Amino acid sequence: MKERITFVHKPNDAFDPDQLRLDNDALVVKSLKAAREDRITLSPHELPQEVWRMLKQCHELHIRWVSLTTYDAVAPFVSRASSGLHIFFTPQRNRSADLLCPLLLKVFGEHLKCESPEKTFTGLPVTSERFASSAAFQYHQLLPSLTNLIIYIQQKICPPLDKTCHAKATALSSANHVDIDYDAISQAFVLRAFFQQAPGSDVWDERIQSLGEAAAVEVGVLANESPTKPEELSLGGFLTILGEDTKPSMLFLSSNLVPSNGLFPDPTLFSFPSRHHLVTSTFSSTYLTTFVSPTGLHPTLRLTFPVPAKPPSPSCALLTYLILPSGLFPDKYQLSSPLFLASKNLRAIRSLSGETDLEAPDWVIEKWGSSLLIELAPPKGHANAAKPVSWNADIPLHMRYLPPSAGGSSEVQLPWPTVFWACTAEEGTKMNVNPFDRVNLGYDGLFGPRTMFYHLEPDAGATGLVESLAVPVLDLDRATWVEEVTVGVVTLGVVWVAWKLFEVGLKDWRNGKDSQKKRQ
């Protein structure tokens, strides 16, 4: 087992090296205001047997869970995905993956719509064959919390008396996003959790203990520095391996934070190319997602940008990636008209996969839904406007017929889409050297390996990252009389038709009798 804990504080957050203290084989953190990522790597023998049996059917498996509430991202943890549970999966060649869905239901909850990968998952298109990090199949479902996962870890993975393990599992309830990765080549099972801040507090106060010789624990307290190249991120701070180091190693720090006691080596700079960045300018750094009212059965999803759209570089394209549940779908024929797209500030569909049948009701759909990557077309005059001018991009969607329910209304929930600028890095840039890299997000496999994503942040004033639609359906509470009247009408209709047929037969029989009498 290996564990890596990384704290990253913002430049404007006050930090003093005295907030860190090595105490034998532990690191004491005092009043540290920072974002945090925990990364735990397990070997196959440390996993429950049922998990290992399932993983042996997978060539690769990537699970992404994102909270339904807003949070602030901080570099290098800036990649975005829509809220809910994402699963990206590639099976072993010529092997069935019949254990995957049963285990997902056990770990994340019985309410998941997952019968089997063949029936429920959708194919993930890859436009660049060179981008080998992308899985073959995709799945998504909204999942408000990780309660079932926490219980599973505590009961199946943590030793009964290991309070530290139980506490770490419980802390997942406060995570903003959680990643689980496995690939058959390395056979490493990696769990990562990101926390915008300490649960229930703005600061971290804790003692991080070494786990002994069998488990290495590396801790870093880092801050973002000014990078030397646009595609890079630069970090500086303190690093230590618990149980091995007698004092933290220091990377590059701002001059006002370098201790003057001579105990630390000369500062150095830790830089690496990054696939994901934040939009740092004031132009189009946030967006808001709503449904245009009234919604009806053909709702329009509106993305609102409060300020003009200015790309990081002239070659960049502004795109949005939508995760659509089975009850909603886009009409690819409607979205193929250039004039119609231009009227909605859209440019073109770049990718559409999943369930796109235009006529099927929701109760016959086996797949989880569909995903849509569409390029936006910001108004050209807005970027050069003297004053900020907001603009909208409208994406037309369509509802499927939903099953009847008590009350005559059903709810369809749509997670906010991700919005980003896609730009091309310089030739020769190697993104895979980033120790905090995050791939298999659904949209990244649709681009080449040198693509950089500049993410826009959801509006901070949003109450959540999910939009809900109330859809009228057949009311089961009032459907009894409909059934009775329908049976009555059908019965009367059958009787009427039978009577008419009897009249026709009777008339023919009488006519036949009259003809016989005349011939006689």
Side-chain angles (χ1 to χ4, degrees), residues 271-455:
S271 300
F272 48 85
S274 177
R275 203 184 316 270
H276 299 279
H277 301 260
L278 282 175
V279 174
T280 55
S281 71
T282 58
F283 290 90
S284 291
S285 58
T286 63
Y287 67 98
L288 184 68
T289 301
T290 56
F291 278 109
V292 178
S293 184
T295 55
L297 295 178
H298 303 279
T300 297
L301 186 70
R302 171 165 290 177
L303 303 179
T304 300
F305 302 88
V307 289
K310 187 176 181 180
S313 67
S315 62
C316 298
L318 184 62
L319 300 108
T320 183
Y321 185 68
L322 285 79
I323 296 294
L324 302 172
S326 59
L328 277 172
F329 67 94
D331 185 346
K332 59 183 178 181
Y333 303 105
Q334 181 186 34
L335 294 175
S336 63
S337 169
L339 291 178
F340 178 80
L341 291 172
S343 68
K344 304 295 183 181
N345 286 331
L346 307 176
R347 179 158 287 122
I349 292 178
R350 298 307 180 194
S351 175
L352 176 60
S353 64
E355 191 57 68
T356 58
D357 191 308
L358 303 182
E359 303 296 336
D362 188 53
W363 57 82
V364 303
I365 300 296
E366 293 184 329
K367 304 295 185 182
W368 65 266
S370 59
S371 60
L372 170 67
L373 178 69
I374 189 165
E375 183 177 349
L376 308 183
K380 294 183 179 180
H382 286 206
N384 300 319
K387 295 183 179 181
V389 180
S390 64
W391 63 282
N392 302 321
D394 292 341
I395 304 173
L397 301 172
H398 306 275
M399 294 293 309
R400 298 189 186 278
Y401 292 113
L402 302 181
S405 68
S409 180
S410 290
E411 187 179 61
V412 173
Q413 293 185 308
L414 176 70
W416 279 33
T418 54
V419 181
F420 53 85
W421 293 96
C423 312
T424 302
E426 294 182 359
E427 189 73 35
T429 303
K430 296 180 179 179
M431 300 293 184
N432 57 356
V433 298
N434 181 355
F436 306 102
D437 198 17
R438 194 174 180 222
V439 296
N440 284 287
L441 298 170
Y443 55 83
D444 52 348
L446 305 174
F447 298 87
R450 291 191 299 111
T451 302
M452 295 191 302
F453 304 99
Y454 288 84
H455 293 271

